[in-house]
Amino acid sequence: MIEVKNIEKSYSGKVVVNIPELTVTAGEAVGLVGNNGAGKTTLFRMILDLIRPSKGKVYSKGLNVAQSEDWKEYTGSHLDEGFLIDYLTTEEYFKFIGDLHGLTDGDITERLLPFMDLFNDEILNQRKYIRDFSKGNQKKIGIAAAVLSNPELLILDEPFANLDPSSQIRLKNLLRNLREHKRMTMLISSHDLSHVIEVCERIMILEKGQLVQDMQTNENTLRELETYFTV
Amino acid sequence: MLLTLLSHQWKANYRSSVFQKSVALNIIMGLLILYFGTIFLVLGFTLGNILGKVAPGQSAVALFNGALLFYFLIDLFFRFLMQELPVLAVQPYLHLPIRKSRMVHFVLLKSVPSMFNLVFLLIFIPFMFREVIPAYGTGAALAWLFAILALTLLNNFLLIYFKRLLSIKPILTLLFGLAVAGLLLLNYLEVFSLFAVSQVVFGAMMEMSWLAAVPVLLLLGAYLLNYQYLIAHTYPEELAVREKTNVEGKGIAFLSRFGELGKLIELELKLMWRHKRPKSMLMMSVFFIFYGLLFYPNDTYLDGFAWLIFVGIMLTGMPMFNYGQFVPSWQSGHFDALLTRRISPYQFYAAKFWIFVPVALLAYLVTLPYGFFGYKIILVNTATLLFNIGVNVFVIFFFSVYNTSRLDLSKGSAFNWQGVGASRFVMMLPMMLLPVLIYLPFKFFGVPYMGIAAIGLVGLIGFVFQKQLLQWSANWFLKHKYKLATGFRQE
């Protein structure tokens, strides 16, 4: 699904991401963990063609993301509030995204059904603009919008941040459902080790722009990660 | 304490990226201030002579006094349009042991050293030295100046108060506006003469200097009014001018017929309507319709063509230029979203194009009545309209990729230089010069009307090849999109 080849990004001589080789196969859920400044978001931005890599290329389904725009059809993503059109109401925003993918109002309502628990009656029919929602609720809107098009590839940057404990658990279950029923490929970064392990079967640790560990999740993973991050 | 707050304000301004980044902009601003300052100064020194020529035999000071009330009323109107409410970002201070009253005083006093209050002193003070002191003596003149200053500040605080109420009790502000308009109407209907009233009032102040205390008392009253209001509303939620209205998500049915392009246009219209900056920019564009009145009534401009071309480009293109100078910065808040969604750069630019064309057409239709000044105006404006929608649109698109600074949409646009780059000034040059350059050879060969036709034809050709030109704009944009996205991510 995603192939990263020899990618490197440096700002004024300082290398922030350097990944010689990374492959994500279709249906795989990959969790990306690492401390602040490890380069998680930068890597995601390069995969989404938002930053031009200093070196190397990213291929999505074999096509270079910087040259072809086909990946936009099957990729859903939410990195930060910059992905939201904040002067729209939630309904308008979902409708806009739905229209881009040729969804009817009925489709949108149906696809949002699994989100009703997560939304907790705080998202829809609120009669306010997205910019007036709290950070946590903005995150929920962004994630729902990313999933709305039923993408084959879902990229989320710290989806659990800013969410209350109940919402975190609901989101975790939601993501697992998407994995099981839709076989969605996922790239998720998170600071919450236990959640990301429960959603993802493969965990990668990024440190100072380098991929230092790449492992399959098993019952010992959490302990290994905690040992790794204990300074 | 006030000084500390002042230093924070100064730092906030000085350290803002706008101020630091664009030295060129500051130089241009400085030159503009110098230019207008000189004009006002010269006007102040020569006003006595001018008035003497306009109405010989009458006292210049009496005439000046008669105009003062008008001046204050008009001043109120312009302040309403352009002056921003002074705000201190109080939130970071509220949990600290600083008395609220100090903060309120600070916010209020901060509005005093503004351009609106000071620039006209450049007229009043020289006028005082040249005309008032010789006729009435220093004491009376100082009282006179003092009264004028107090009234200027009264205007300042009245406006701040009513503008703030606009979002909470709009009726009061409306009543205030009606009162001002009513005064002007009564004067127009000759029920009474504002001119005479103004003459009597300010004349009396020169005779009896202690009367200057009246405006000062009024000023104190207005200040207290503001103070009372603010001290009772120091909560950030209430200070914010944003109205919390219930919003209805409505689509524009007509646009949905144009598919994805219509969707993008609708989105853009919502962007304009729901933010302060584009809205106030549109308001200013409406005023620009009257720009023609500066030129057309004057026969010297009507004789040739070059000036008419210039004015024609401005009249039919101003709304487009105003909005276009910030393409694509308007979308800077959600630029990443646009790049990762199924929207092609071609569609993105096509949507802008199909907003600009109807707007330019509308500006053309609205300014058609200028044709009463001469049929030439209609000919020239038709040509410049075509040029604007066939060539200048793409000039805007060409320069659009250099607008890499994030735009703050929540502030008004008057005197707002946030997000303004040097490209904006460079952009105006080809848009103004190209049509004149096309015209000049024809003028040289004695067929000026052919020159006008040529301008229109060039525009028409551009419009016919819009698909190719839009594709070219899209490719040009693709080359620069990383730079744009990076720039917009920087707060």
Side-chain angles (χ1 to χ4, degrees):
Chain A
M1 180 59 108
I2 292 283
E3 256 187 292
V4 172
K5 291 227 167 117
N6 282 324
I7 210 161
E8 188 181 309
K9 180 73 198 174
S10 50
Y11 288 106
S12 49
K14 194 175 179 298
V15 178
V16 290
V17 171
N18 178 13
I19 297 173
E21 177 78 53
L22 167 64
T23 311
V24 179
T25 50
E28 208 172 19
V30 179
L32 201 58
V33 293
N35 290 331
N36 291 338
K40 301 182 297 288
T41 311
T42 311
L43 175 62
F44 281 172
R45 288 217 167 104
M46 286 193 284
I47 293 175
L48 290 169
D49 191 34
L50 292 171
I51 296 180
R52 195 204 307 270
S54 311
K55 257 191 239 160
K57 292 183 174 70
V58 178
Y59 297 93
S60 184
K61 288 192 175 176
L63 293 172
N64 186 343
V65 292
Q67 269 149 29
S68 154
E69 291 194 58
D70 290 354
W71 58 271
K72 292 183 185 175
E73 310 262 340
Y74 57 82
T75 306
S77 55
H78 181 72
L79 299 193
D80 54 28
E81 306 90 68
F83 278 54
L84 297 168
I85 302 178
D86 64 359
Y87 56 88
L88 296 182
T89 63
T90 321
E91 285 80 7
E92 284 175 330
Y93 183 55
F94 287 148
K95 175 103 177 70
F96 177 70
I97 302 292
D99 282 336
L100 288 178
H101 292 272
L103 302 181
T104 65
D105 288 1
D107 291 339
I108 295 174
T109 316
E110 193 198 316
R111 290 188 184 191
L112 287 177
L113 277 182
F115 281 88
M116 285 309 142
D117 270 349
L118 181 67
F119 282 177
N120 198 20
D121 289 331
E122 286 171 352
I123 304 290
L124 295 176
N125 305 315
Q126 294 300 304
R127 290 170 165 250
K128 57 180 177 179
Y129 299 129
I130 294 178
R131 64 181 174 215
D132 298 328
F133 280 93
S134 70
K135 284 250 183 217
N137 280 338
Q138 286 182 350
K139 185 137 255 167
K140 294 179 188 176
I141 296 169
I143 294 170
V147 175
L148 197 63
S149 57
N150 226 340
E152 293 171 50
L153 172 64
L154 180 66
I155 300 181
L156 300 176
D157 193 16
E158 299 195 29
F160 300 107
N162 292 326
L163 295 188
D164 56 81
S166 310
S167 296
Q168 289 185 15
I169 291 165
R170 283 171 176 155
L171 177 63
K172 187 181 67 191
N173 293 332
L174 194 100
L175 291 174
R176 291 176 69 162
N177 270 329
L178 288 172
R179 289 256 302 119
E180 277 157 32
H181 297 121
K182 305 240 165 87
R183 306 298 310 151
M184 223 176 254
T185 315
M186 292 183 184
L187 275 175
I188 295 172
S189 80
S190 180
H191 289 311
D192 190 309
L193 301 175
S194 66
H195 286 319
V196 77
I197 285 169
E198 284 186 61
V199 177
C200 302
E201 73 220 13
R202 181 179 167 196
I203 301 289
M204 295 190 294
I205 303 180
L206 210 60
E207 193 183 305
K208 291 180 180 153
Q210 313 270 346
L211 209 54
V212 289
Q213 278 199 46
D214 188 347
M215 51 185 158
Q216 296 296 313
T217 317
N218 57 36
E219 61 271 24
N220 296 324
T221 311
L222 185 57
R223 215 171 327 118
E224 282 174 38
L225 286 177
E226 278 172 352
T227 325
Y228 180 88
F229 284 109
T230 307
V231 217
Chain B
M1 191 64 229
L2 284 179
L3 281 178
T4 317
L5 287 176
L6 201 65
S7 80
H8 284 191
Q9 278 290 299
W10 172 248
K11 280 178 189 159
N13 288 331
Y14 182 68
R15 294 180 180 172
S16 80
S17 51
V18 194
F19 190 79
Q20 288 195 325
K21 263 186 202 159
S22 54
V23 183
L25 207 65
N26 286 317
I27 292 174
I28 291 173
M29 277 295 278
L31 286 178
L32 275 179
I33 291 173
L34 209 66
Y35 174 71
F36 282 108
T38 318
I39 287 185
F40 283 139
L41 260 184
V42 171
L43 194 65
F45 277 111
T46 54
L47 196 60
N49 296 341
I50 296 173
L51 286 177
K53 274 187 200 139
V54 174
Q58 291 190 45
S59 147
V61 178
L63 281 172
F64 194 80
N65 279 346
L68 273 176
L69 265 189
F70 285 105
Y71 160 72
F72 284 120
L73 290 180
I74 294 166
D75 179 52
L76 264 182
F77 176 70
F78 274 101
R79 280 168 189 271
F80 184 75
L81 284 182
M82 308 214 273
Q83 194 174 6
E84 293 282 323
L85 288 179
V87 279
L88 167 73
V90 282
Q91 209 150 8
Y93 300 99
L94 285 178
H95 64 104
L96 298 175
I98 301 172
R99 285 220 307 281
K100 278 184 177 181
S101 58
R102 277 178 192 270
M103 275 192 280
V104 172
H105 281 305
F106 178 75
V107 168
L108 286 175
L109 290 175
K110 201 180 128 204
S111 69
V112 171
S114 102
M115 193 201 72
F116 288 97
N117 297 329
L118 301 179
V119 82
F120 291 99
L121 287 180
L122 288 178
I123 295 182
F124 291 137
I125 292 179
F127 185 77
M128 180 183 82
F129 277 111
R130 298 268 303 184
E131 304 292 332
V132 185
I133 292 183
Y136 294 86
T138 315
L142 281 179
W144 176 82
L145 186 71
F146 205 62
I148 288 179
L149 202 59
L151 282 172
T152 307
L153 293 179
L154 172 69
N155 260 3
N156 180 50
F157 286 114
L158 275 183
L159 183 101
I160 290 173
Y161 182 69
F162 282 108
K163 206 164 177 179
R164 204 158 250 149
L165 279 190
L166 185 62
S167 55
I168 305 146
K169 291 182 195 151
I171 300 286
L172 269 179
T173 311
L174 191 69
L175 281 178
F176 180 68
L178 280 179
V180 172
L183 272 180
L184 288 172
L185 188 72
L186 286 178
N187 175 66
Y188 180 76
L189 297 173
E190 294 177 359
V191 176
F192 70 94
S193 163
L194 268 182
F195 187 80
V197 172
S198 180
Q199 255 179 346
V200 171
V201 168
F202 290 99
M205 272 177 208
M206 288 178 173
E207 302 296 330
M208 296 168 279
S209 298
W210 56 271
L211 275 178
V214 176
V216 176
L217 285 178
L218 285 175
L219 169 64
L220 279 180
Y223 186 88
L224 281 179
L225 199 65
N226 274 292
Y227 179 81
Q228 293 292 351
Y229 177 77
L230 282 181
I231 199 81
H233 295 85
T234 40
Y235 298 95
E237 291 175 350
E238 296 171 27
L239 269 183
V241 197
R242 181 194 295 168
E243 309 97 288
K244 276 267 183 203
T245 45
N246 281 344
V247 292
E248 296 283 348
K250 266 187 276 181
I252 303 162
F254 162 75
L255 283 171
S256 60
R257 283 194 289 175
F258 298 98
E260 295 194 343
L261 189 61
K263 278 282 151 201
L264 284 177
I265 293 176
E266 188 187 324
L267 192 66
E268 189 105 21
L269 293 178
K270 278 178 186 161
L271 182 143
M272 287 185 216
W273 198 242
R274 292 178 182 179
H275 292 103
K276 198 174 172 197
R277 188 147 181 191
K279 244 197 311 195
S280 64
M281 190 165 263
L282 286 180
M283 289 279 288
M284 302 231 288
S285 300
V286 171
F287 277 96
F288 235 95
I289 290 169
F290 302 103
Y291 190 61
L293 287 178
L294 287 181
F295 291 91
Y296 291 147
N298 194 332
D299 283 340
T300 47
Y301 294 118
L302 275 182
D303 284 341
F305 275 98
W307 273 107
L308 290 183
I309 294 170
F310 169 75
V311 180
I313 289 277
M314 294 293 266
L315 278 183
T316 58
M318 207 56 205
M320 189 172 101
F321 300 159
N322 267 341
Y323 193 76
Q325 62 179 334
F326 293 122
V327 170
S329 303
W330 293 113
Q331 273 83 12
S332 54
H334 53 278
F335 198 66
D336 284 347
L338 293 178
L339 290 182
T340 50
R341 288 290 176 187
R342 273 189 53 183
I343 299 163
S344 70
Y346 179 86
Q347 284 174 321
F348 182 72
Y349 274 99
K352 309 266 182 209
F353 183 76
W354 286 110
I355 289 174
F356 287 158
V357 170
V359 166
L361 196 64
L362 188 71
Y364 169 74
L365 292 176
V366 170
T367 52
L368 264 189
Y370 280 130
F372 287 117
F373 289 109
Y375 72 99
K376 270 165 79 179
I377 292 172
I378 294 182
L379 284 182
V380 171
N381 282 8
T382 311
T384 52
L385 168 75
L386 288 170
F387 194 81
N388 272 334
I389 62 174
V391 179
N392 279 346
V393 175
F394 298 104
V395 175
I396 291 176
F397 290 166
F398 174 83
F399 281 100
S400 70
V401 300
Y402 297 108
N403 295 328
T404 52
S405 42
R406 194 184 170 92
L407 202 60
D408 181 1
L409 297 180
S410 58
K411 305 266 165 58
S413 65
F415 308 109
N416 188 349
W417 298 88
Q418 194 274 322
V420 176
S423 70
R424 164 205 157 129
F425 298 101
V426 183
M427 175 178 100
M428 292 307 277
L429 281 179
M431 297 205 292
M432 296 293 165
L433 287 184
L434 271 179
V436 177
L437 283 182
I438 294 173
Y439 158 78
L440 277 182
F442 291 94
K443 186 206 172 189
F444 192 68
F445 288 110
V447 279
Y449 282 93
M450 293 300 287
I452 298 302
I455 294 173
L457 191 67
V458 170
L460 200 61
I461 291 171
F463 190 72
V464 168
F465 286 103
Q466 45 163 290
K467 285 226 162 62
Q468 286 78 0
L469 285 168
L470 279 173
Q471 191 56 58
W472 171 84
S473 306
N475 292 338
W476 178 242
F477 167 81
L478 273 179
K479 267 190 211 152
H480 296 265
K481 69 170 182 178
Y482 301 106
K483 190 184 66 185
L484 287 166
T486 313
F488 293 162
R489 252 177 248 132
Q490 266 141 27
E491 299 274 341

